[in-house]
Amino acid sequence: MSALSDYAERLLLNVLLREQPVWVALYVSDPTDAGGGLEAGGADPDYARVPVTFSEPLDGVCSNVDAVSFPVASAPWGTVTHLGVMDAAAGGNLLVHGPLPAPKAVEGSDQLVVGPGSLTFRLA
């Protein structure tokens, strides 16, 4: 057997992304399933993970309800290539991750914003 039921998909997405606080992190390299990679921000003290709220899963899919607005960079963060959803505002564990559609260089005074519905996770 290799397919999850609709119920199991909803259950897993709810447990991972909705039943606990979660934050989005930016990465300048692939964090991989092991949770490595280099988190963006470098020496910028203004970089911080951003809390995110996900929609109720529908057909094995859920996405961010509101825009995810990172702080304005006061120093370069590097070229962001990946996003990760974490279970803590600092440290913690990587829950899910994926590449950006296109890498984004974040310079001082830039602000990276992920629009509502743009951060989508699918188990279907």
Side-chain angles (χ1 to χ4, degrees):
M1 294 191 298
S2 63
L4 291 173
S5 68
D6 291 347
Y7 170 80
E9 291 169 354
R10 282 190 307 276
L11 178 69
L12 288 173
L13 287 169
N14 276 318
V15 167
L16 280 175
L17 302 174
R18 294 176 40 87
E19 293 182 1
Q20 62 182 344
V22 291
W23 291 261
V24 179
L26 302 175
Y27 286 88
V28 296
S29 62
D30 185 353
T32 73
D33 291 346
L38 181 60
E39 198 164 344
D44 187 349
D46 293 327
Y47 170 79
R49 296 175 185 171
V50 177
V52 62
T53 301
F54 285 95
S55 64
E56 180 71 30
L58 180 63
D59 296 328
V61 178
C62 65
S63 58
N64 59 309
V65 173
D66 301 311
V68 178
S69 299
F70 286 87
V72 174
S74 58
W77 291 358
T79 300
V80 176
T81 60
H82 291 74
L83 297 172
V85 176
M86 310 294 291
D87 66 359
N93 300 290
L94 178 65
L95 301 174
V96 292
H97 64 93
L100 292 177
K104 169 68 175 142
V106 178
E107 303 297 334
S109 78
D110 286 350
Q111 183 179 29
L112 197 142
V113 177
V114 179
S118 297
L119 188 56
T120 302
F121 294 96
R122 177 182 316 273
L123 285 179

